[in-house]
Amino acid sequence: MSLIDDIRERRDISRDELERILTTDNKESIEELRRQAREVATEVYGNKIFMRGLIELSSHCKNDCLYCGLRRSNTTAVRYRLSDDDIYSCCASGYQLGFRTFVMQGGEDGWFDDSRMCRIVANVRKQYPDCAITLSLGERSRDSYQALFDAGANRYLLRHETASPEHYARLHPAEMSWQHRIDALWTLKEIGYQVGCGFMVGSPYQTVDTLYADLQFIRQLQPQMVGIGPFISAHDTPFAGFPNGKVSDTLRLLAIIRLLHPHVLLPATTALGTLHPQGRELGIQFGANVVMPNLSPKDHRKDYSIYDNKICTGEEAAECRACTEGRIRKIGFETVVDRGDYKG
Ligand code: SAH
């Protein structure tokens, strides 16, 4: 029995097995990893790839994460906020294009306080009862998460960034707390959200041990979604000089996560597509089953600049959707327009 068979059957991996997979340059074993991860994804979700429409609400942020182009200390970042009506028109064009999940993401921007955000969520919920509403607005209080859930939000994406408190402290300023972020994920789960955690691959100071801790944390939390993509350096941030994460490591980790969690919703991220012209297609071939085309208004796209050279910043929502669908069809998969809920 091969190592991959064994991991697949046990749905578990040891630290040393993780290291072996990340360091091997044996093409056959990587191909086997890919094949088996895709097989597992296909067993659960067939050849269906779920599309989520991403709406980037705000490039303002009160946080100062060392890796992110939108950190508050970055005085060269262009800041914008969508109005309520901008958001509703993104949803309307998204709905027309077949999207049944809206993902509203943004920097941690106090402008989108509970009264504003609950009003937006409630209006979208009322207008589109058949759609899932996903939020990705960072750390908020339990009351805030509860109010947004009660207003109609179903899912929340909050990458844990790293499961190692020491590593977290090297990626974030001292005022940000690893424990607070982890607690937020558990709170979201308790409230009843479908939650997504995740991390960047190749972030500065990441090691096999921190990655192994990430996998253990995912096992504990049992999230419905796991978002991983390569770290990409952003100009005018403290990490501007650090090398980008590797596409090959990201693909291997996607496959490993698929083998460990057959049912998880796993996006092939824009960051992966940014570092490789076929990055998202490769992600799908290594077990991903979600893509998130951009529905944000074209005139603000380039300003949601969390990292450099982000792709798809010059397209209309319709172009973005058509392009994504075409790419997916070309590699033999089918995009689906339903809500794409977790199959637990
Ligand atoms: N403010 C929200 C959304 C953050 S942006 C929140 O805190 O959840 C979404 C994700 O982009 C982050 O969680 C982070 O993992 C990723 N990200 C930020 N900067 C990045 C970079 N330079 N390269 C790659 N991914 C990055």
Side-chain angles (χ1 to χ4, degrees), residues 16-26 208 249 252:
D16 291 339
E17 289 165 341
L18 174 64
E19 181 162 35
R20 269 167 68 193
I21 293 181
L22 291 175
T23 54
T24 185
D25 43 25
N26 181 324
V208 174
D249 288 344
R252 292 174 198 199

Side-chain angles (χ1 to χ4, degrees), residues 14 16 21 31 36-37 51 54 105 125 140 159 180 188 191 207 212 219 234 239 254 267 274 277 284-285 298 316:
S14 69
D16 291 339
I21 293 181
E31 173 53 22
Q36 296 228 31
M51 292 230 261
L54 181 65
Q105 187 178 81
R125 169 54 55 238
R140 300 170 80 101
R159 291 189 176 178
H180 191 265
L188 288 161
I191 291 171
T207 63
Y212 184 61
R219 172 175 305 278
F239 290 166
L254 282 171
T274 295
I284 290 168
Q285 283 156 335
K298 197 172 157 180
E316 296 291 356

Side-chain angles (χ1 to χ4, degrees), residues 32-214:
E32 194 195 345
L33 175 67
R34 187 206 65 72
R35 185 182 58 75
Q36 296 228 31
R38 190 57 246 174
E39 205 172 280
V40 169
T42 303
E43 272 169 23
V44 180
Y45 290 103
N47 72 340
K48 292 183 165 48
I49 305 298
F50 300 115
M51 292 230 261
R52 323 300 202 188
L54 181 65
I55 305 170
E56 295 157 335
L57 304 190
S58 172
S59 67
H60 291 260
C61 193
K62 70 173 167 59
N63 282 341
D64 220 15
C65 308
L66 275 67
Y67 43 85
C68 183
L70 299 183
R71 67 200 303 267
R72 66 160 188 266
S73 301
N74 185 359
T75 51
T76 65
V78 179
R79 310 290 177 174
Y80 74 89
R81 303 185 165 107
L82 300 190
S83 68
D84 289 28
D85 285 340
D86 291 335
I87 297 168
Y88 302 144
S89 64
C90 287
C91 292
S93 61
Y95 192 87
Q96 270 245 296
L97 291 168
F99 290 98
R100 295 297 177 265
T101 293
F102 302 122
V103 182
M104 301 186 203
Q105 187 178 81
E108 293 203 16
D109 179 2
W111 171 260
F112 288 96
D113 60 5
D114 289 346
S115 74
R116 185 179 307 272
M117 208 55 229
C118 286
R119 177 177 75 219
I120 294 167
V121 169
N123 283 331
V124 175
R125 169 54 55 238
K126 197 165 122 213
Q127 186 78 30
Y128 308 101
D130 54 333
C131 292
I133 299 175
T134 304
L135 301 177
S136 178
L137 303 169
E139 294 167 46
R140 300 170 80 101
S141 67
R142 174 185 287 266
D143 289 349
S144 171
Y145 288 150
Q146 184 70 56
L148 292 164
F149 186 80
D150 295 339
N154 314 96
R155 306 179 185 149
Y156 205 101
L157 307 180
L158 183 72
R159 291 189 176 178
H160 63 284
E161 312 297 359
T162 171
S164 151
E166 298 75 33
H167 185 207
Y168 190 91
R170 304 187 80 172
L171 300 179
H172 300 93
E175 82 233 12
M176 288 179 71
S177 147
W178 174 83
Q179 192 63 55
H180 191 265
R181 196 155 184 99
I182 299 294
D183 289 347
L185 278 160
W186 287 106
T187 301
L188 288 161
K189 232 190 155 190
E190 273 168 36
I191 291 171
Y193 283 95
Q194 298 180 36
V195 300
C197 66
F199 55 91
M200 294 175 285
V201 177
S203 62
Y205 314 112
Q206 186 173 67
T207 63
V208 174
D209 291 303
T210 66
L211 286 169
Y212 184 61
D214 289 323

